[in-house]
Amino acid sequence: INISVFPPSNACIGRYILNIQITSCGHTYQRCLGDFYVLFNPWCADDPVYMDNQAHREEYVLNEHGILYEGVHKHITSRPWHFGQFEDGILDICLKILDMGASYHQGSDRDHCWRNDPVHVSMVVNHMISSHTTNSIMKIPENNDYLKGTKPFSWNGSVPILQQWYNGRCRPVRYGYCGSLASVMCTVMRCLGIPSRVVTNFCFPCSIENPLGINEIFDCTGRNLCGKDKLWRYHCWNESWMARRDLNQCCGDWQCLDPTPLETGRGSACSGPTWVRSIREGELDLDYDGHHMFSRVNSNYVGWLSQNNAKKTKFFCDAWPCGQHLITKSVGSEQFEDITGAYKYDLGSVKNKEAYYRAYRRIHPGYCNASNCHIERELSSLKNPFLSDSGINMRLKMANCPMYGEDVQLHWVLENLRSENKTLKFNLCAQIITYSGYPMDQFWKDSVNVTLGPREVKKIPLCISYSQYGPYLCDHNIMKVVAVSDPECGEVLMVSRDIVINRPPVIVKLLSQPRLKVPCTAEISFCNPLQEDMKNCVMTLEGCGLFKEPMTIDLGTLASNQQARTIVEFTPYRLGSHRLLANLGCHKF
């Protein structure tokens, strides 16, 4: 007997048991034929997650390889990620996540009725990734303290994280950051049949008090002070493709889901799903958490100078930094795709202003009936007219692309826009900044007197040696260089630059072509570029279809300029597009 099962497009996803009952000669027999799984189907036109582009389905559902984009908007770095949605046992783990998150719907889960709706399924997964519940998948370290767990940046893929959570009786894995949280969610969603991708937004504001403004405070030396607001250098979230039947959508579109709990005026919360198009149009009443996502890509940035912890002077106000660079991995390519236009119109365009006014009325109840002119006057009053009238143009330009062990070379370019001489005193400093905008050690300070003739352009070289920044640089690899004028000169001017220090490369070379169930070898090589020993070096290897679980190799101590080579043997256990990932950890990074 051949049995074909055709579940309807609105069937609840999950594991089903198939029984057969046979009646013969007055006797009835029952037999279990086995079990099967029903998932969302982006190949089915009647399914709410239907995606009509085959190349997009291959990328956003079938591809197990991803790329996480990090760094700063002027220096984007990338690293590979293994989603592993087709690895053994991952589907059962993903369904366990739905079981554990069923209480999120505040009712009985006996009929599982919500499991046929990708909107509700995505809300449960989003809630389970890193909420404050005891069964969430990952925890984020508090105050950058992760001594009691795994370093957030040492993960290569989602599979070990999900397996550790499942095998550890569903206790949170320590620790993750926004990139790993979004990537784990992408794995779960793709495994369940929902097309998904990881998005990175550079210059991401996290403000508790003002939803459409972000404040950074500096002292007279240029040091970034720790205030309530944080300007994240980058932030990763997830986008999933589905039709929003709750919004009367008949066709699928990208929905924004942010599994990282962020502080809001009403406490810490995850966001989404939010229709990306509603963010661009400022239609915040349509969707879950629309006002949060809109403010995170449309906030104004304001810089303040604090003098004696009492008086504060506004010296910078701009709409540029926030939400001007959103990227994701391109379809079928290792390059990134800029999707900023999906979240907002061109800055300063008519449509951009209309969307902003529309959102402003919904975020600020007192302006619900205000005209566009009224809102524009209110926004203009927030800007300090003194800011645009200094007559000095400044910028910091990188002279090199520094790697661990190398000095940082910059050119400080100053231009006098006036026809008279300018003499100013500047304080300069360099400070470590975490990716989430938390200011850490200030390790370099200097002061310079600058005299500019009429219309003169002057280029001043700056050098920060490895011996100065090396002892302070942490996993985030980001420092901030600031030049601020001395307030006693009468003018408050500032220029800053975020700098990423590149990690030394780990080179992976396959010595033979991977074939199913045939031993294969690879050479892993790394050179210590520092003028000092690297201690406690550990290489972590992971590969889609190559290793059942991550392999750890202890390299011990590497002397200065020492080359480490390791030959690794493995046997591919399933077909697929194989990729070997290597991550080096030591006392430095």
Side-chain angles (χ1 to χ4, degrees):
I1 299 176
N2 293 324
I3 300 175
S4 298
V5 179
F6 295 95
S9 60
N10 63 347
C12 292
I13 65 168
R15 176 175 172 265
Y16 288 76
I17 298 175
L18 181 61
N19 294 316
I20 187 171
Q21 179 174 299
I22 302 173
T23 302
S24 176
C25 300
H27 296 282
T28 299
Y29 307 90
Q30 286 192 355
R31 178 172 296 178
C32 178
L33 299 183
D35 56 8
F36 63 93
Y37 295 85
V38 173
L39 305 175
F40 293 109
N41 186 359
W43 280 262
C44 174
D46 294 328
D47 199 289
V49 301
Y50 173 64
M51 182 175 268
D52 62 359
N53 188 306
Q54 175 61 19
H56 287 193
R57 289 193 294 255
E58 292 178 359
E59 178 67 47
Y60 300 131
V61 183
L62 302 180
N63 192 0
E64 294 184 77
H65 306 303
I67 297 178
L68 299 186
Y69 296 101
E70 300 168 345
V72 297
H73 72 282
K74 290 185 177 181
H75 185 167
I76 297 173
T77 61
S78 64
R79 63 188 185 98
W81 188 270
H82 174 210
F83 291 121
Q85 65 267 32
F86 300 120
E87 292 288 342
D88 292 342
I90 294 300
L91 178 55
D92 289 323
I93 295 176
C94 293
L95 295 178
K96 179 68 172 180
I97 292 172
L98 297 186
D99 293 338
M100 299 300 294
S103 60
Y104 179 74
H105 281 270
Q106 302 176 358
S108 172
D109 192 40
R110 287 175 295 182
D111 55 3
H112 299 82
C113 60
W114 56 271
R115 298 195 185 204
N116 67 353
D117 185 352
V119 174
H120 289 288
V121 168
S122 66
M123 291 173 67
V124 169
V125 175
N126 200 31
H127 171 75
M128 281 296 296
I129 295 296
S130 186
S131 64
H132 294 299
T133 62
T134 57
N135 300 119
S136 62
I137 296 173
M138 292 198 85
K139 274 191 172 296
I140 297 175
E142 296 182 3
N143 301 322
N144 299 294
D145 180 11
Y146 37 76
L147 296 178
K148 296 180 180 179
T150 303
K151 288 185 177 182
F153 292 87
S154 65
W155 301 102
N156 289 328
S158 305
V159 175
I161 297 172
L162 291 169
Q163 289 175 339
Q164 183 174 326
W165 174 79
Y166 186 75
N167 296 329
R169 299 182 180 180
C170 304
R171 289 191 293 265
V173 176
R174 303 171 186 262
Y175 289 102
Y177 76 112
C178 64
S180 53
L181 300 184
S183 298
V184 169
M185 181 168 187
C186 187
T187 294
V188 175
M189 299 295 273
R190 287 187 183 184
C191 185
L192 298 177
I194 303 175
S196 297
R197 63 188 185 184
V198 177
V199 173
T200 301
N201 174 22
F202 293 93
C203 297
F204 177 87
C206 189
S207 175
I208 298 176
E209 298 178 348
N210 182 5
L212 285 173
I214 181 78
N215 299 289
E216 279 198 320
I217 305 172
F218 301 83
D219 66 13
C220 295
T221 69
R223 183 167 62 101
N224 193 338
L225 304 178
C226 185
K228 294 182 179 179
D229 295 352
K230 297 291 183 296
L231 182 64
W232 291 34
R233 271 45 194 174
Y234 66 89
H235 181 60
C236 301
W237 62 68
N238 195 78
E239 279 186 0
S240 293
W241 181 274
M242 64 190 74
R244 296 292 300 276
R245 305 288 167 82
D246 56 324
L247 299 181
N248 297 319
Q249 292 179 12
C250 58
C251 299
D253 206 344
W254 290 113
Q255 314 294 326
C256 177
L257 291 142
D258 190 351
T260 303
L262 296 171
E263 290 298 326
T264 66
R266 293 176 291 179
S268 178
C270 305
S271 297
T274 307
W275 187 21
V276 172
R277 191 175 300 178
S278 72
I279 299 172
R280 185 180 66 179
E281 301 297 335
E283 296 286 357
L284 308 187
D285 292 341
L286 289 178
D287 225 333
Y288 305 97
D289 306 314
H291 60 293
H292 291 317
M293 294 310 304
F294 182 89
S295 64
R296 289 166 187 169
V297 297
N298 286 281
S299 289
N300 292 312
Y301 170 80
V302 181
W304 298 85
L305 180 68
S306 176
Q307 303 178 52
N308 301 323
N309 296 321
K311 180 183 177 183
K312 292 181 181 178
T313 304
K314 184 192 297 184
F315 61 82
F316 191 75
C317 183
D318 194 6
W320 147 247
C322 305
Q324 288 301 310
H325 206 51
L326 293 99
I327 61 176
T328 187
K329 179 184 177 297
S330 296
V331 175
S333 169
E334 300 292 303
Q335 304 300 315
F336 66 76
E337 175 188 357
D338 192 321
I339 58 170
T340 308
Y343 280 83
K344 58 192 301 182
Y345 292 106
D346 291 339
L347 190 64
S349 66
V350 174
K351 289 187 175 181
N352 175 258
K353 290 183 178 181
E354 290 177 348
Y356 192 91
Y357 297 148
R358 200 176 295 123
Y360 196 89
R361 294 186 183 97
R362 288 160 173 77
I363 293 175
H364 298 285
Y367 292 86
C368 59
N369 296 316
S371 65
N372 292 350
C373 294
H374 185 186
I375 296 175
E376 185 60 39
R377 285 196 301 269
E378 182 67 21
L379 296 174
S380 298
S381 67
L382 299 177
K383 297 183 179 180
N384 189 338
F386 172 74
L387 303 178
S388 59
D389 197 33
S390 65
I392 297 289
N393 186 23
M394 297 190 297
R395 62 188 183 274
L396 289 169
K397 298 177 63 176
M398 296 300 301
N400 68 337
C401 190
M403 187 179 294
Y404 262 92
E406 296 181 348
D407 297 344
V408 177
Q409 306 286 347
L410 300 102
H411 287 144
W412 180 22
V413 182
L414 302 96
E415 181 182 5
N416 185 1
L417 304 177
R418 301 289 177 79
S419 299
E420 64 262 8
N421 292 334
K422 281 277 189 178
T423 300
L424 295 169
K425 179 182 178 182
F426 286 92
N427 297 319
L428 297 92
C429 83
Q431 184 177 10
I432 300 300
I433 298 287
T434 68
Y435 84 97
S436 57
Y438 187 85
M440 299 181 73
D441 299 301
Q442 183 188 46
F443 59 86
W444 175 75
K445 291 193 299 183
D446 199 359
S447 60
V448 179
N449 291 313
V450 179
T451 300
L452 294 172
R455 308 291 179 180
E456 181 184 2
V457 177
K458 184 171 289 187
K459 184 185 293 186
I460 301 175
L462 301 176
C463 178
I464 303 173
S465 67
Y466 172 74
S467 61
Q468 291 174 310
Y469 74 78
Y472 301 92
L473 202 61
C474 57
D475 291 343
H476 311 274
N477 300 350
I478 301 173
M479 69 171 72
K480 188 179 189 69
V481 177
V482 176
V484 59
S485 62
D486 194 311
E488 295 180 0
C489 297
E491 293 179 303
V492 181
L493 308 172
M494 191 195 82
V495 63
S496 66
R497 176 90 185 216
D498 290 336
I499 300 171
V500 177
I501 307 298
N502 293 313
R503 293 190 178 192
V506 177
I507 300 173
V508 180
K509 181 181 179 181
L510 290 175
L511 302 181
S512 56
Q513 186 66 28
R515 296 173 59 189
L516 183 65
K517 298 182 179 179
V518 176
C520 179
T521 55
E523 180 186 80
I524 316 295
S525 59
F526 170 81
C527 181
N528 176 8
L530 307 181
Q531 299 301 314
E532 59 182 294
D533 292 349
M534 292 176 61
K535 303 175 183 177
N536 306 322
C537 296
V538 176
M539 189 80 70
T540 304
L541 304 178
E542 188 172 342
C544 175
L546 303 178
F547 301 100
K548 288 286 187 179
E549 58 185 34
M551 178 186 295
T552 300
I553 302 173
D554 188 355
L555 300 178
T557 298
L558 293 178
S560 175
N561 296 316
Q562 180 182 348
Q563 184 85 18
R565 284 189 176 89
T566 303
I567 302 297
V568 180
E569 186 172 293
F570 51 88
T571 302
Y573 59 88
R574 69 178 175 91
L575 295 172
S577 176
H578 299 122
R579 179 177 296 180
L580 182 60
L581 308 183
N583 193 343
L584 178 72
C586 70
H587 74 296
K588 281 292 182 183
F589 47 82

